[in-house]
Amino acid sequence: MSRRMEYTIAFDVPAEKMYQDFTSREYWQSLMGAYRQLSPSEITSFTSDERGTDIVFVQEVPRSELPAIARSVVPADMVITRTQHFDPFDHAKNQATGHYAASIPRGPGRFGGKYVLTDTDSGSQLRLASVCKVSIPLVGGALEDLILHHIKYLFDAEEEFAAHWISRHH
């Protein structure tokens, strides 16, 4: 059985401006700089064209920093590959959609989701719908809960980063 989580991030700028940030290399390089303060993180691929924008980056979490239940199934430092895709901005609907995923080599599960960036009365919001599935008998559900718990903190941190980005760039 998989676990699901809905999460909304609010921004003080219109959706189209936030989309321009999300699809700029500068934004992602700056985000990686913030992540590097915690652990090794780097962009491995960035493309943007008429089909949309794709970003792939890798983050490393030392095994010693993993919770005990995770260390029981992860034999080494955890290398997480994250992918982000933003479809082209839809001017008729004044929104953008996309999807994201995270994977661990030889990892026994999957994490991903879809998002929609839309305008609000005070700026814009990014609605994320995530799904987590860990295929390990007996501990899979506990690991799914743990992953989603930490994903919430990750989304909180990314919302805070975006707020600082907006204050410096808009």
Side-chain angles (χ1 to χ4, degrees):
M1 184 170 196
S2 60
R3 303 286 199 274
R4 298 179 183 282
M5 179 179 74
E6 301 284 327
Y7 192 90
T8 301
I9 298 174
F11 307 110
D12 293 335
V13 296
E16 188 169 10
K17 284 190 182 270
M18 200 64 226
Y19 176 82
Q20 290 168 357
D21 291 335
F22 281 149
T23 58
S24 77
R25 189 182 229 344
E26 181 185 2
Y27 179 89
W28 291 95
Q29 287 174 324
S30 185
L31 180 59
M32 290 306 104
Y35 277 135
R36 277 188 215 103
Q37 295 175 18
L38 304 172
S39 66
S41 304
E42 69 177 281
I43 296 172
T44 58
S45 175
F46 182 95
T47 58
S48 190
D49 57 30
E50 68 280 350
R51 294 170 300 198
T53 302
D54 291 285
I55 306 101
V56 179
F57 57 99
V58 176
Q59 296 173 286
E60 187 176 325
V61 179
R63 186 172 185 273
S64 61
E65 293 184 23
L66 297 174
I69 191 168
R71 284 194 306 267
S72 70
V73 295
V74 178
D77 291 351
M78 187 168 54
V79 178
I80 304 165
T81 300
R82 289 180 58 190
T83 59
Q84 306 272 149
H85 172 79
F86 293 90
D87 294 328
F89 193 81
D90 184 336
H91 293 280
K93 294 182 180 178
N94 204 36
Q95 72 175 24
T97 58
H99 54 86
Y100 53 94
S103 62
I104 301 168
R106 298 174 304 282
R110 60 180 167 34
F111 173 81
K114 296 182 179 192
Y115 41 69
V116 178
L117 176 65
T118 58
D119 278 335
T120 63
D121 291 340
S122 60
S124 60
Q125 67 179 8
L126 184 68
R127 291 187 320 270
L128 302 111
S130 303
V131 177
C132 181
K133 172 69 177 156
V134 177
S135 303
I136 300 176
L138 303 177
V139 298
L143 286 170
E144 291 165 359
D145 288 339
L146 180 67
I147 290 167
L148 290 178
H149 174 77
H150 286 283
I151 292 294
K152 182 192 175 308
Y153 288 118
L154 175 74
F155 289 164
D156 288 345
E158 289 181 359
E159 181 175 23
E160 184 177 328
F161 172 83
H164 289 294
W165 173 271
I166 290 166
S167 72
R168 292 188 319 266
H169 294 87
H170 295 283

